[in-house]
Amino acid sequence: MVRPVSGNSSSISSNTTNSYTVRAGDTLSHIAQRAGVSLNDLIRANPQIKNPNLIHPGQQINIPARATGSLSGIPVSRGTSPTERPVTTAPSSNPPQPVSTRSLTYDGTRPAPGTTNTRAWEPINAPLTNDPSQRSAANYANVINQFAVANNPRYTPRNGNTYCNIFLWDVTRAMRAEIPHWVDRNGNPTGVGQGRELNANATHRWMHEHGARFGWRQVSAEEAQRLANQGFPTVFTWENRGGIGHVGVVRPGNFDSRLGPAIAQAGARNTNNAHVGNIFPGGYRVPTYWVNDRGTSVGSSQPAPTPRPAPSPTPGGSTSPGTTRSIPQSNLSYGDNNVDVKRLQDRLVELGYMTREQVNTGYGNFGPRTLDAVKRFQRNHGIPPTGNFGPLTRAAMERALSRSSSANARPVPQSDLRYGDNNADVKKLQDRLVELGYMTREQVNTGYGNFGPRTLDAVKRFQRDHGIPPTGNFGPLTRAAMERAIAGGATRPSQPSTPPTPRPPVNNTPPTTPVGNIPRTGNAFIDSIADDAIRSQRATGVPASVTIAQAILESGWGQSSLSRQAHNYFGIKGEGPAGHVVMPTREYLNGQWVTVNAKFRKYNSPAESFIDHGRFFIENSRYRTAMQHTNDAIRFAREIHRAGYATDPAYSDKLISIINRYNLTQFDAIARR
């Protein structure tokens, strides 16, 4: 900041050339009034100001020589000639003062004044900051856009260096939630040159070790987008052991089912608007996500407009790809009564969650039946069943309708079904089984709508053919497989067909299908079990990253007596396909650790242990909530712990630490291919 050569208070003399350093809250008219000059004279003295309504803190304003007023207490630089340079000091490490987002608006194409210092190790005082009490998607997006990361020389790669960590530092500092670049040996932020600098890898470790002290907590990719859309500073970090890591900012935007959260980042590629999956070939589950949600969200949780032009929305709402069926774009909740509720109800009818008769009792009214339908839709799509219709539910509905369109609107039942059910959804299931060749129309006609022995057998055969445990129950895994089968081009047979020859019953023999190219981590144990973990995920849905982390934790990297004597890598108790072994184990009971003898399952091979591990979660109803979050390894780990998988109170934290440390989510992405 420019400082006066002498004194902090001065009258403006007609014998000197004067300049003034703009402060937060200043306007040109305010400066002119205090300087004793007209606004027009002040504007004429500052031809560099293109927009008199847009000035920023730190900007230098020329004060006309004939000024007679006083700018008491405000930084004014004096000189004896127009060419004399003002005295400057080193950049301040104090956080910038907040400026109202209403007075400054940026579109992300040009960096704001004061943000282009290429001495990247020095902090900058951005003109726009956001107070934690004023979080909103618009404010957060505006703060990010002011740095215009794609066009800002501060972040341009040079001399072999990239600046992802500097961009992260600048944005979080402007959001008043600084992730520091300089820290002391205790991890506390410090001034320039007074500690050590954090590169991307070190920033990732700092977040794990110190982030919680400064308000940061780890979240899933989906939660990261949701909280960014509420205006909370949200970031991602990735440690690359033996290489260069990466960090970036999750910005307000739309969560893409394939590419993950919307981001802005510096690095080898500088972009103000992309998705994580555009950066990480392994998928959006690769990095770790963090949010600092200390503060108050005062705006809509709708994603803020991104800088790039977007197509004009269809009047009344968006449409899913390939269809003209309108999806409401406003957030809805119980008690609302408007045209968007009607649109929501129409889509719920279309997807099989409501009947037209139910809707007609309160068309446009978000009442108990609509609330129940939304919750069931959310459960079936791995979304917390709050009953509120927001960004996550909207995105899932768009995907569901898109799948329905690509399948020529051939509906797949959206409710869970099992032997003995008798309803309209069973009819839909039977129609799809006929279409896919697992039942004949004659078989269906003997009990249309009744989930009897023939339907049960058909579902089991479908499950076997698609790598799903043949329980005969129609749930999320079977539903997703059926939607893929129909969207993949299945057509209704022209003649009644004979069901495919049943495969032999699935026993404990693990699948042996190839999994493709798998990156080697350099860790012998992880490399030896990754194939089996990926096969297990493809068969059961259980994230490979969690499976590997549990194997590491439970078997002591494959060195435990249980893993060596019984091929049991997960400490699963009971009778196994090869019998059992009795071993002492430590349990956390009544607030203390005790040693007890227990029977543990015995397997014929390590691979057999892995597939049984996945089936264990499917076949135990207490893990039903966890199985709704198989696309989120972190959430899955916490849910199985909450359901009682282990008695160690720190069990899920240990799993998550292993997953992050060894970048195990890369195997989840491979399993989904």
Side-chain angles (χ1 to χ4, degrees):
M1 177 181 286
V2 175
R3 302 288 184 187
V5 173
S6 61
N8 292 326
S9 176
S10 61
S11 296
I12 300 175
S13 167
S14 60
N15 297 325
T16 62
T17 299
N18 306 287
S19 66
Y20 165 62
T21 303
V22 176
R23 285 183 169 181
D26 278 339
T27 63
L28 281 183
S29 60
H30 172 72
I31 296 169
Q33 181 180 11
R34 298 197 62 184
V37 298
S38 71
L39 178 60
N40 287 336
D41 285 342
L42 187 61
I43 292 173
R44 280 193 292 269
N46 292 274
Q48 78 280 10
I49 299 178
K50 304 304 181 185
N51 182 354
N53 294 316
L54 185 61
I55 60 175
H56 58 83
Q59 185 175 0
Q60 294 298 301
I61 303 294
N62 297 322
I63 305 299
R66 59 182 174 278
T68 59
S70 172
L71 294 172
S72 177
I74 301 178
V76 177
S77 295
R78 294 178 176 181
T80 57
S81 71
T83 60
E84 184 173 352
R85 295 177 62 85
V87 176
T88 62
T89 64
S92 168
S93 61
N94 295 326
Q97 295 301 308
V99 178
S100 170
T101 56
R102 295 180 180 178
S103 62
L104 301 173
T105 302
Y106 300 96
D107 63 4
T109 60
R110 292 184 179 181
T115 66
T116 58
N117 180 10
T118 55
R119 294 164 61 89
W121 61 91
E122 296 178 346
I124 57 175
N125 288 332
L128 181 63
T129 65
N130 181 229
D131 189 88
S133 65
Q134 295 293 316
R135 300 302 198 207
S136 72
N139 290 350
Y140 184 24
N142 205 14
V143 167
I144 295 171
N145 290 347
Q146 72 179 325
F147 297 103
V149 62
N151 303 306
N152 192 327
R154 179 170 172 84
Y155 314 114
T156 301
R158 50 194 180 272
N159 301 322
N161 296 318
T162 56
Y163 299 93
C164 62
N165 54 331
I166 301 302
F167 178 61
L168 185 79
W169 181 30
D170 292 345
V171 171
T172 57
R173 195 162 176 268
M175 289 297 292
R176 315 284 284 179
E178 181 182 9
I179 296 174
H181 180 61
W182 293 90
V183 297
D184 63 21
R185 60 184 177 181
N186 296 317
N188 298 311
T190 187
V192 174
Q194 298 176 15
R196 63 186 177 96
E197 294 181 85
L198 299 182
N199 61 17
N201 281 337
T203 299
H204 176 86
R205 292 191 292 270
W206 184 90
M207 292 294 283
H208 277 284
E209 296 167 5
H210 304 287
R213 290 196 289 125
F214 297 90
W216 292 93
R217 65 183 180 91
Q218 188 174 335
V219 294
S220 67
E222 292 82 359
E223 192 175 5
Q225 187 66 79
R226 178 177 64 81
L227 291 165
N229 288 348
Q230 294 178 20
F232 294 109
T234 312
V235 304
F236 66 88
T237 66
W238 175 62
E239 182 178 15
N240 183 12
R241 292 177 176 271
I244 300 173
H246 189 49
V247 297
V249 174
V250 177
R251 65 170 300 129
N254 292 314
F255 184 92
D256 186 280
S257 60
R258 184 173 61 88
L259 300 175
I263 63 167
Q265 68 154 42
R269 174 188 174 191
N270 292 354
T271 175
N272 195 44
N273 188 29
H275 285 82
V276 175
N278 300 130
I279 308 302
F280 289 92
Y284 68 84
R285 302 290 181 188
V286 171
T288 303
Y289 298 90
W290 310 85
V291 68
N292 190 316
D293 51 0
R294 291 180 178 176
T296 304
S297 179
V298 297
S300 168
S301 62
Q302 290 286 94
T306 51
R308 64 184 179 188
S312 300
T314 303
S318 77
T319 59
S320 59
T323 180
T324 57
R325 297 167 288 177
S326 175
I327 297 174
Q329 293 302 296
S330 63
N331 292 345
L332 301 170
S333 58
Y334 186 81
D336 288 343
N337 192 319
N338 53 47
V339 68
D340 267 354
V341 175
K342 293 182 179 180
R343 296 187 181 106
L344 173 61
Q345 291 169 328
D346 288 341
R347 301 295 75 77
L348 289 168
V349 169
E350 181 175 351
L351 292 170
Y353 287 89
M354 298 184 77
T355 65
R356 182 54 61 187
E357 291 74 13
Q358 290 174 328
V359 167
N360 288 341
T361 63
Y363 195 36
N365 178 44
F366 200 129
R369 292 181 174 177
T370 304
L371 179 68
D372 176 69
V374 170
K375 285 183 176 180
R376 283 187 286 110
F377 177 88
Q378 290 170 327
R379 290 190 191 98
N380 285 341
H381 290 79
I383 301 168
T386 62
N388 298 324
F389 183 83
L392 287 180
T393 310
R394 181 179 303 109
M397 188 167 286
E398 287 171 344
R399 292 193 297 271
L401 288 170
S402 177
R403 287 193 295 266
S404 176
S405 293
S406 63
N408 297 321
R410 294 168 287 178
V412 173
Q414 296 300 302
S415 62
D416 291 351
L417 301 170
R418 63 181 59 203
Y419 185 81
D421 287 345
N422 192 317
N423 53 45
D425 269 354
V426 174
K427 293 181 179 179
K428 292 177 186 175
L429 173 61
Q430 291 169 329
D431 287 340
R432 300 294 76 76
L433 289 168
V434 169
E435 179 178 345
L436 294 171
Y438 288 87
M439 297 184 77
T440 65
R441 181 54 62 187
E442 289 76 8
Q443 289 173 330
V444 167
N445 289 340
T446 62
Y448 195 37
N450 177 44
F451 200 130
R454 292 181 176 179
T455 304
L456 178 67
D457 176 69
V459 171
K460 286 183 176 180
R461 283 186 285 109
F462 176 87
Q463 290 170 326
R464 291 190 189 103
D465 286 347
H466 291 80
I468 302 168
T471 62
N473 296 327
F474 183 83
L477 289 178
T478 310
R479 179 180 305 109
M482 188 167 287
E483 287 172 341
R484 289 193 298 269
I486 292 174
T491 58
R492 186 182 297 275
S494 57
Q495 299 291 331
S497 62
T498 301
T501 302
R503 295 184 177 185
V506 173
N507 51 30
N508 288 299
T509 302
T512 58
T513 54
V515 297
N517 294 325
I518 298 178
R520 294 302 167 188
T521 65
N523 181 288
F525 182 69
I526 293 176
D527 291 345
S528 71
I529 65 175
D531 287 16
D532 291 324
I534 291 171
R535 289 190 183 98
S536 176
Q537 177 174 332
R538 289 178 178 173
T540 67
V542 175
S545 59
V546 176
T547 300
I548 295 171
Q550 287 188 286
I552 291 171
L553 188 61
E554 300 282 352
S555 74
W557 296 92
Q559 298 303 306
S560 70
S561 298
L562 184 60
S563 61
R564 286 187 282 110
Q565 295 180 27
H567 298 305
N568 187 331
Y569 287 80
F570 304 99
I572 299 179
K573 297 173 182 174
E575 196 73 15
H580 69 267
V581 294
V582 177
M583 289 195 173
T585 180
R586 298 185 73 217
E587 301 283 357
Y588 192 79
L589 301 173
N590 300 320
Q592 61 182 348
W593 288 101
V594 297
T595 300
V596 298
N597 288 324
K599 288 183 179 180
F600 291 90
R601 295 185 184 184
K602 186 176 181 180
Y603 302 95
N604 296 298
S605 68
E608 198 173 64
S609 172
F610 277 76
I611 195 64
D612 191 46
H613 167 264
R615 290 173 179 163
F616 177 81
F617 291 116
I618 290 178
E619 294 169 359
N620 284 273
S621 60
R622 62 176 171 166
Y623 299 114
R624 182 175 299 168
T625 300
M627 292 304 296
Q628 294 174 354
H629 300 284
T630 54
N631 286 330
D632 183 347
I634 304 303
R635 179 72 180 273
F636 186 91
R638 296 204 183 281
E639 291 297 342
I640 63 173
H641 187 200
R642 188 175 291 117
Y645 184 91
T647 57
D648 181 354
Y651 184 76
S652 57
D653 290 334
K654 291 176 181 178
L655 289 181
I656 293 167
S657 176
I658 293 171
I659 289 170
N660 290 328
R661 183 175 182 182
Y662 296 99
N663 188 26
L664 298 183
T665 52
Q666 64 179 312
F667 299 112
D668 299 347
I670 293 171
R672 286 192 287 267
R673 291 175 186 169

